[in-house]
Amino acid sequence: MFYKKPFSYYLLKVTYRFVGEQAKGGEGWATRNSGAMLHGQDPATMLKDQDFPISVEAQILGGDGEHVRHTSNVCTPGTLINYKGELFTTHCLDSKSKTYHGDQWVTAQFLVLGDSVIKHIIAGEVVLEYTKPQIGGGSVTNYDPKVKVDGTPLKSGYISLQSESHPIEFKTVKLFDLAPYAKDELKLNKIIDRVLKE
């Protein structure tokens, strides 16, 4: 499910929970697995059999009742990120969040500031931070090669929510457009502080 226009500087806040049973035939890795796709490609450029939009996925995972399973991770279908100052080329990177078992509501916030920094926030704590998202890498199939131009910085893009065969409910989805404050760091930081608390 895509939003109708792209954004560059924004805060996305979602309150979600996993419910019920996974759809019959779903992959094992897709159990209690969903995500918010950030800086995604224009959906009009996706081909019919493309599996994911070229994007940065803020991965949402629910606990299985037994194992440690962090949420608010990052996965990179057709993209790359910088983590701790180095290009990160593995598909997924775990956050340091705790595991949320059962059907409890969880609030996740994703702060995206152009191609400079992306922060994943759970319960007011930054659980993952990375920089310089760009097009590149693998983990996406059946795309239009004219769209996947490796090395292109991801300064903006479309936001979408996805599910990978396990039912998920969203109680709230809020989007704060921070672009009007992008050129004034003082105002930007004040607005970020305010909207993080809303």
Side-chain angles (χ1 to χ4, degrees):
M1 180 171 64
F2 283 84
Y3 194 73
K4 59 189 174 183
K5 67 176 188 175
F7 291 88
S8 58
Y9 278 60
Y10 55 91
L11 177 76
L12 176 65
K13 179 178 182 178
V14 297
T15 300
Y16 68 90
R17 68 177 178 182
F18 289 95
V19 295
E21 299 298 320
Q22 184 180 12
K24 192 173 181 180
E27 299 284 350
W29 53 263
T31 300
R32 292 181 168 259
N33 186 337
S34 187
M37 315 306 271
L38 312 173
H39 275 358
Q41 75 183 90
D42 182 341
T45 67
M46 290 182 67
L47 299 184
K48 178 176 175 283
D49 294 322
Q50 187 172 335
D51 52 356
F52 291 100
I54 295 166
S55 57
V56 176
E57 178 187 356
Q59 185 190 49
I60 296 169
L61 295 180
D64 62 6
E66 183 179 347
H67 302 94
V68 172
R69 202 163 189 241
H70 305 286
T71 190
S72 204
N73 307 315
V74 63
C75 295
T76 53
T79 58
L80 298 169
I81 59 170
N82 273 260
Y83 179 65
K84 295 187 176 178
E86 295 184 4
L87 191 65
F88 184 82
T89 57
T90 304
H91 177 49
C92 292
L93 174 64
D94 274 9
S95 78
K96 60 179 184 179
S97 83
K98 72 176 195 177
T99 302
Y100 293 89
H101 296 291
D103 297 347
Q104 63 185 299
W105 290 106
V106 180
T107 297
Q109 296 172 297
F110 307 107
L111 177 64
V112 182
L113 302 180
D115 67 342
S116 61
V117 67
I118 298 176
K119 296 180 182 183
H120 296 198
I121 303 161
I122 298 283
E125 178 189 3
V126 176
V127 295
L128 184 61
E129 180 175 339
Y130 49 93
T131 62
K132 299 179 183 173
Q134 61 182 277
I135 295 176
S139 302
V140 64
T141 61
N142 301 316
Y143 55 83
D144 183 344
K146 294 191 294 288
V147 174
K148 190 176 181 291
V149 180
D150 290 358
T152 304
L154 284 173
K155 298 181 179 184
S156 65
Y158 287 78
I159 300 167
S160 57
L161 300 176
Q162 57 100 342
S163 176
E164 294 180 10
S165 75
H166 198 115
I168 186 170
E169 294 179 345
F170 291 94
K171 181 163 61 172
T172 57
V173 177
K174 294 183 179 181
L175 180 61
F176 301 90
D177 185 5
L178 303 174
Y181 313 100
K183 294 182 180 178
D184 187 329
E185 188 175 353
L186 188 61
K187 279 187 181 178
L188 177 63
N189 288 333
K190 282 183 178 178
I191 292 294
I192 290 171
D193 286 344
R194 181 172 64 80
V195 296
L196 281 172
K197 294 169 185 170
E198 288 188 12

